[in-house]
Amino acid sequence: MKHLWQHPGFALGFRDISTVGLGIAAWGLTTGVALVNGGLSTTEALAMTLLVFAGSAQLAALPLIMAGAPLWVIWVTAICVNLRFVVFSAHMRPYLSHLSWRRRLLYSYLLGDLSYVMFVKHYPHPSHDAQVQQAQEAYWLASIGGNWVYWISASLLGIALAQIIPVQWGLGFAGTLALLGVAASLATSPLRMTAAAVSGLAAIAAFAVPLRLNILVAIASAVALALMAEAVWARGQQTSGPAR
């Protein structure tokens, strides 16, 4: 893996992820502060930061943990919030399937939203050429590695300064803007835009549901809409039949 650090693609990947490094750091700092102020001990916050490495899942699970919610609710909530990574991983499989399982396991742990978005924009198609594959892996390693460094360093700083940083600073809003940027980048079709709007409206409508289960309602609504739209499209294709 050392030779990848010297590849031009590595410098390019790190430069690209650095353009959004401030947003990643703001979200990481917010999460670190929230973990401690939310009731976790410093040790628990450190463990969650280093082992989970998923800010949205951490912030979704934290109030459930503090409220004494059943373990299955916490697990299901975290899994649903992170279901997007299943899609990301499936899309990345053709790019990384030639690598060893240990390297793929490492890359799956480091996978991040912005890293994925930037990679697929830079490399829209996988390749079987060895040189192109090496360039793609170098870019990928720098992107996910840079994302990890920005996130972890800021999150650890947030944990250390949790009692000092005022909540009034509104750092959570900066993190929310970073996630909105990711969502906007992925909303590349009318169906995706509609699904995003439906999930947002469902989350607002079900806001009063306890244990943050409105998140599950939003996800289920968007998935149901996508499945119905796909079924209607497939039925239309069958009805129209082959062109003559």
Side-chain angles (χ1 to χ4, degrees), residues 14 16-32 53 55 112-116 118 142-155 171 174-179 182:
F14 189 78
D16 285 351
I17 199 65
S18 294
T19 60
V20 293
L22 184 60
I24 297 172
W27 190 235
L29 184 67
T30 301
T31 303
F53 187 51
D113 297 275
L114 293 175
S115 298
Y116 168 79
M118 291 188 167
S143 183
I144 59 178
N147 180 75
W148 186 88
V149 169
Y150 281 117
W151 173 271
I152 292 296
S153 57
S155 188
L171 292 172
T176 301
L177 289 179
L179 289 183
V182 175

Side-chain angles (χ1 to χ4, degrees), residues 155-226:
S155 188
L156 294 179
L157 182 63
I159 293 172
L161 303 179
Q163 305 302 328
I164 301 175
I165 298 178
V167 178
Q168 293 79 6
W169 281 14
L171 292 172
F173 183 64
T176 301
L177 289 179
L179 289 183
L180 284 176
V182 175
S185 299
L186 295 176
T188 55
S189 69
L191 178 58
R192 291 183 179 182
M193 294 177 188
T194 304
V198 168
S199 64
L201 292 173
I204 295 173
F207 185 76
V209 176
L211 300 178
R212 296 291 182 92
L213 292 177
N214 63 315
I215 297 174
L216 300 184
V217 173
I219 295 171
S221 301
V223 171
L225 172 67

Side-chain angles (χ1 to χ4, degrees), residues 26-46:
W27 190 235
L29 184 67
T30 301
T31 303
V33 173
L35 292 179
V36 176
N37 289 341
L40 296 183
S41 67
T42 301
T43 301
E44 291 169 338
L46 288 172

Side-chain angles (χ1 to χ4, degrees), residues 18 20 35 52 61 64 69 89 102 106 111 115 139 193 213 237:
S18 294
V20 293
L35 292 179
V52 178
L64 300 178
S89 298
R102 291 184 180 181
L106 172 64
L111 173 61
S115 298
Y139 183 98
M193 294 177 188
L213 292 177
Q237 290 292 101

Side-chain angles (χ1 to χ4, degrees), residues 9 12 15 28 42 48-49 61 85 91 103 117 132 145 147 160 180 205:
L12 177 61
R15 184 169 67 248
T42 301
M48 179 175 277
T49 296
F85 289 110
H91 188 202
R103 189 170 295 188
V117 171
V132 176
N147 180 75
L180 284 176

